Amino acid sequence: MNCRSLFRDILTDEGLCCVTNALHPNLLYTRENWHINEPVDWNPEAGYPKKLPTKFFPRKTQGTGISMGLSLILNAEVDEYYCSSSGGAGFKINLASPIDRPLISEGGVIVPLGSETRFRLEALLTESSPEIRSLDRHRRQCLFFNEEPLIYYRYYTRDHCENECLSAYLIERCGCIPYYLPPLSNNCTFCNVSRLFCIERAKQQFNQTIGDKCLSRCLTTCFDLNFMADTFSSPLAASNYSIQSRVLYNMSKEEVHRNIAVLHFYYRESVIHAELKSVYIGFTEFL
């Protein structure tokens, strides 16, 4: 497939990255860039709309196993490297819910070059019964999507809430924010290189004061979707037997081991193991 039909550029703390199956097309992309799939509104609490177009994103899975997953051949072009937050060449991969915007440098997994890597995925879903809405948020330790409105993000998640807290803290300490954090006002200033030292020092102080008033409201969501991956890697073929991929077959072995990484993403099984939060002793049980 043409990669442009699956991936689009997104601005992260690592610079421009490629993202697939993400929400927020109106915030991240122009509608004209999505040639094949129509964006639909989705979140872990409400799920998909009842009426869906023929082709849409975020996509649903087609099945389990590597043949029903997503396979990629990536070329690092190491001679074109400029800078990175890691010390070695390769790719950073981050698995997240379609509504989440995590930091790549903090949570990304590095994939080595000259290897074939399999990500065997397992989805972990957290759901909540409507009865727990009557409980205080700090007793149930979770938030529904409409309980904590955010300034910049449409949907509440813990990462989004913490990002807004960090933005407010950096504006107070340094007078500006890095380009990858959410601007909390129209006159918010983005930092240039001269403010880098102030930003890094303030971020360390922010992490040390994790229990401050702002972060104390950033609870987990009552409906959440996470992905856990078992990762397996093996070196690409170095012998003179034929390789299945026609793309790799036309490359020299030196080029493959220097620049190429092959990735496979697939689900281990066709069911999701969910966790349900409910009232253990309600009024009726109490009586």
Side-chain angles (χ1 to χ4, degrees):
M1 295 184 65
N2 186 338
C3 289
R4 279 292 174 185
S5 66
L6 288 174
F7 293 92
R8 286 297 177 267
D9 299 336
I10 181 176
L11 195 59
T12 72
D13 55 325
E14 286 281 297
L16 284 174
C17 294
C18 295
V19 63
T20 184
N21 234 27
L23 205 62
H24 300 299
N26 295 330
L27 296 177
L28 296 176
Y29 317 105
T30 60
R31 183 65 174 265
E32 290 76 13
N33 285 339
W34 294 88
H35 301 294
I36 296 180
N37 299 316
E38 182 177 341
V40 297
D41 199 5
W42 176 93
N43 65 71
E45 184 173 339
Y48 285 99
K50 292 183 178 180
K51 187 176 181 180
L52 291 171
T54 304
K55 295 182 178 180
F56 59 90
F57 70 93
R59 302 170 181 229
K60 295 182 179 181
T61 180
Q62 299 298 313
T64 60
I66 194 170
S67 62
M68 302 298 289
L70 172 65
S71 296
L72 308 174
I73 299 176
L74 306 179
N75 190 335
E77 297 181 328
V78 293
D79 293 334
E80 302 295 329
Y81 258 57
Y82 176 62
C83 64
S84 175
S85 61
S86 57
F91 294 93
K92 295 185 182 70
I93 304 295
N94 195 88
L95 302 172
S97 171
I99 66 171
D100 234 335
R101 288 294 171 267
L103 300 181
I104 304 300
S105 61
E106 299 292 338
V109 177
I110 295 180
V111 176
L113 300 178
S115 66
E116 183 174 15
T117 304
R118 297 190 177 196
F119 290 83
R120 190 173 64 186
L121 305 177
E122 182 174 359
L124 303 177
L125 178 65
T126 299
E127 297 179 314
S128 298
S129 62
E131 289 78 13
I132 70 170
R133 280 184 178 268
S134 60
L135 300 177
D136 181 82
R137 63 174 63 185
H138 292 288
R139 292 185 62 190
R140 55 175 140 98
Q141 285 294 299
C142 72
L143 291 173
F144 290 89
F145 282 115
N146 61 351
E147 289 187 313
E148 188 65 39
L150 299 177
I151 298 175
Y152 182 78
Y153 296 103
R154 180 182 175 191
Y155 287 116
Y156 173 88
T157 70
R158 184 171 183 172
D159 284 336
H160 292 171
C161 181
E162 291 181 352
N163 286 345
E164 289 197 357
C165 287
L166 180 57
S167 287
Y169 184 79
L170 294 180
I171 291 173
E172 178 184 348
R173 297 300 301 269
C174 301
C176 61
I177 60 171
Y179 65 89
Y180 55 84
L181 286 180
L184 303 183
S185 63
N186 292 332
N187 59 353
C188 186
T189 303
F190 291 99
C191 301
N192 55 29
V193 179
S194 65
R195 306 300 293 166
L196 183 61
F197 180 75
C198 177
I199 291 296
E200 293 302 319
R201 183 174 57 184
K203 285 169 62 177
Q204 293 178 0
Q205 295 171 349
F206 176 80
N207 291 332
Q208 293 170 1
T209 59
I210 194 71
D212 68 358
K213 184 177 180 180
C214 182
L215 285 178
S216 63
R217 66 182 179 89
C218 295
L219 302 175
T220 59
T221 52
C222 295
F223 286 81
D224 198 11
L225 179 64
N226 292 295
F227 297 94
M228 305 297 292
D230 296 323
T231 307
F232 311 91
S233 291
S234 61
L236 290 169
S239 303
N240 291 325
Y241 57 86
S242 62
I243 300 176
Q244 183 180 10
S245 169
R246 289 176 294 176
V247 178
L248 298 184
Y249 185 79
N250 294 327
M251 293 184 180
S252 66
K253 294 295 190 296
E254 294 75 16
E255 173 71 9
V256 168
H257 292 134
R258 177 176 169 80
N259 286 315
I260 301 301
V262 178
L263 281 67
H264 304 283
F265 300 89
Y266 60 97
Y267 288 102
R268 182 172 65 90
E269 53 187 359
S270 59
V271 297
I272 291 180
H273 299 279
E275 175 186 276
L276 177 65
K277 293 183 178 182
S278 184
V279 178
Y280 184 64
I281 299 179
F283 182 72
T284 303
E285 290 78 12
F286 178 74
L287 288 180

